[in-house]
Amino acid sequence: MPSRIAPLFIGHGSPNLIAQPLHNMSIFLSTLSTQIHPKAIVIFTAHWEESIENRGVSISFHENEYKTMHDFQGFSKLSHVSYPAKGSPETAQLVETKLNQNGIKTRREYDRGLDHGSWVVLGLMFPDSNIPIVQCSIDPTSSAETHFKIGKALKELSEMEILVIASGGTVHNLLETNSKKKKTERWAEEFDNWLIDKISQWNLKELFSYREHAPHHQLAIPRSEHFLPLFIVMGMAQDETSGKVLFRQYDFGSLSYLSFSF
């Protein structure tokens, strides 16, 4: 019987991470992957936004090699970076079926490439690009609870040698970052402290209504697209005690690399 592969939330930070092999986060990701041997990867990325209500969760049904999207500005040195992984229609069908069985609408996507929320993380974890990838969208207009239900629908994937990654960030406000800052802003640490505490208590009521309870949420989450992927893998949790902090660090004063397994 295959062993369970715990789903991951990865704070993916800056695209430059892919070109910084000695960064602590890069070392963490490359080390983490030596402990995981999935037959396929399903990744929900903060950089693919679709309306769940109008279009459903979009799922990549690629069979051949993905194109690598350079969906950012100001990182010209990364324009040559490629992550030529292939898709897995079989795994995409599995995701589609499980979501549909739980009343979650889906949409098939055949053309979209891998965005940097996917290939930065995957390029550091699995640089050989030899594991098939299924990329999925999130919806910043939908609730945390909606994304949690998506995860619950996919819970069995962890028992099927499939790694589910939610790629985003807990504190992600680029207007508050400063490349010259070495000391982490207190408000960023306090937001993540609150988050870690509520996950350890499995206080879903406060987590789902984080805008009412979390300190500094306006600064930490000006838009929710990087934060909501967390709730997908929370929904896949083995039990209420399985949330575990894997890595925590900040760049530019507040950009959080906080990462969890469930």
Side-chain angles (χ1 to χ4, degrees), residues 140-197:
T141 68
S142 292
S143 67
E145 190 169 7
T146 295
H147 288 80
F148 187 86
K149 290 176 180 177
I150 291 170
K152 285 191 72 174
L154 300 177
K155 189 172 182 177
E156 292 180 7
L157 269 59
S158 294
E159 312 292 342
M160 303 170 68
E161 298 181 273
I162 297 172
L163 170 62
V164 177
I165 299 175
S167 176
T170 56
V171 181
H172 189 274
N173 185 343
L174 299 184
L175 294 178
E176 293 293 327
T177 59
N178 187 326
S179 61
K180 296 180 181 180
K181 283 188 178 180
K182 301 299 181 183
K183 185 177 180 181
T184 303
E185 296 283 359
R186 183 176 177 180
W187 60 265
E189 292 183 327
E190 288 179 352
F191 177 85
D192 277 350
N193 287 343
W194 176 88
L195 180 62
I196 293 167
D197 180 58

Side-chain angles (χ1 to χ4, degrees), residues 113-154:
L114 292 178
D115 63 54
H116 78 272
S118 295
W119 59 259
V120 169
V121 173
L122 297 173
L124 289 164
M125 292 186 71
F126 304 102
D128 293 335
S129 61
N130 57 355
I131 301 172
I133 308 298
V134 173
Q135 187 174 237
C136 299
S137 68
I138 58 92
D139 179 7
T141 68
S142 292
S143 67
E145 190 169 7
T146 295
H147 288 80
F148 187 86
K149 290 176 180 177
I150 291 170
K152 285 191 72 174
L154 300 177

Side-chain angles (χ1 to χ4, degrees), residues 15-19 70 72 75-82 119-120:
N16 264 340
L17 194 66
I18 193 72
H70 298 91
F72 43 66
F75 299 95
S76 58
K77 292 182 179 179
L78 302 181
S79 61
H80 69 285
V81 176
S82 176
W119 59 259
V120 169

Side-chain angles (χ1 to χ4, degrees), residues 61-67 84-89 110 112 132-133:
F61 269 76
H62 276 269
E63 182 172 4
N64 297 316
E65 186 178 301
Y66 283 93
K67 63 182 179 182
K86 291 185 177 181
S88 172
Y110 293 94
R112 192 179 192 276
I133 308 298

